[in-house]
Amino acid sequence: MREINNYMKITLAGLSRNEGLARMCAAAFVSQLDPTIEEISDIKAAVSEAVTNCIVHGYRDTIGDIDIRMKIMDGDTVYIKISDKGVGIDDIEQAMQPMFTTAPDGERAGLGFAVMQSFTDKLKVKSTPGKGTSVTMLKKLGRRG
Ligand SMILES: Nc1ncnc2c1ncn2[C@@H]1O[C@H](COP(=O)(O)OP(=O)(O)O)[C@@H](O)[C@H]1O
Ligand SMILES: [Mg+2]
């Protein structure tokens, strides 16, 4: 069992103007671990991609809740779970393929999951079509020096 040292949960409206707020909340929460600039920007990038996906894919033309849960575990590991109650994903494996996108006419590059994967240590996606999607990420900090 992992030890939980701290946690937070926030709910944001799925509006693109809340993307910056989500990034800043995530950065502020992890600041207690004295992260490097690179660790902070990795976490912001991963959170940004996940939140953007809730807004543009999960809720498409509607507005719904985005729940962001974060924990500090074992003194050095950041847990991030971002969930929506939107349309869900039919085929998760396909959705996670680099360059796969269901929004090809936008500027979507199909690399959101690849970014989340490369900037964190562990990524898990759960989804039920018609019910929503959750993305859970783990990142261990403090590898400097
Ligand atoms: N929260 C979500 N709700 C519904 N579908 C999603 C969600 N997140 C991702 N997807 C699906 O996974 C695909 C790949 O996502 P991603 O790698 O971020 O690329 P992009 O967002 O550029 O399409 C999306 O095109 C979409 O079909
Ligand atoms: Mg995306």
Side-chain angles (χ1 to χ4, degrees):
M1 267 304 265
R2 285 184 183 267
E3 183 192 1
I4 296 173
N5 312 109
N6 196 0
Y7 59 88
M8 67 154 219
K9 178 186 166 189
I10 57 170
T11 301
L12 303 173
L15 297 165
S16 49
R17 62 177 175 272
N18 282 335
E19 285 171 19
L21 178 62
R23 290 160 62 93
M24 286 174 67
C25 288
F29 184 74
V30 299
S31 69
Q32 63 195 286
L33 291 177
D34 190 23
T36 62
I37 301 288
E38 195 186 352
E39 287 167 339
I40 297 176
S41 59
D42 288 357
I43 286 167
K44 284 167 119 178
V47 165
S48 217
E49 291 296 335
V51 168
T52 302
N53 281 352
C54 300
I55 297 166
V56 303
H57 303 300
Y59 293 123
R60 281 182 209 159
D61 302 320
T62 60
I63 297 162
D65 287 358
I66 300 174
D67 289 332
I68 303 176
R69 290 180 182 76
M70 293 184 70
K71 296 178 198 170
I72 307 294
M73 301 193 308
D74 296 339
D76 64 358
T77 300
V78 181
Y79 164 105
I80 307 166
K81 182 174 181 181
I82 296 178
S83 30
D84 66 61
K85 298 186 187 75
V87 297
I89 300 173
D90 292 324
D91 184 338
I92 294 172
E93 206 180 312
Q94 180 187 46
M96 291 178 75
Q97 296 289 321
M99 310 302 281
F100 176 86
T101 181
T102 49
D105 357 316
E107 327 96 83
R108 318 302 314 155
L111 291 173
F113 283 126
V115 166
M116 291 180 237
Q117 208 142 32
S118 67
F119 289 158
T120 62
D121 298 317
K122 198 170 176 186
L123 167 69
K124 191 167 180 183
V125 181
K126 284 190 186 171
S127 190
T128 307
K131 293 217 161 148
T133 303
S134 72
V135 170
T136 306
M137 297 176 276
L138 285 180
K139 187 175 177 68
K140 191 174 156 81
L141 306 193
R143 295 207 177 97
R144 73 177 111 191

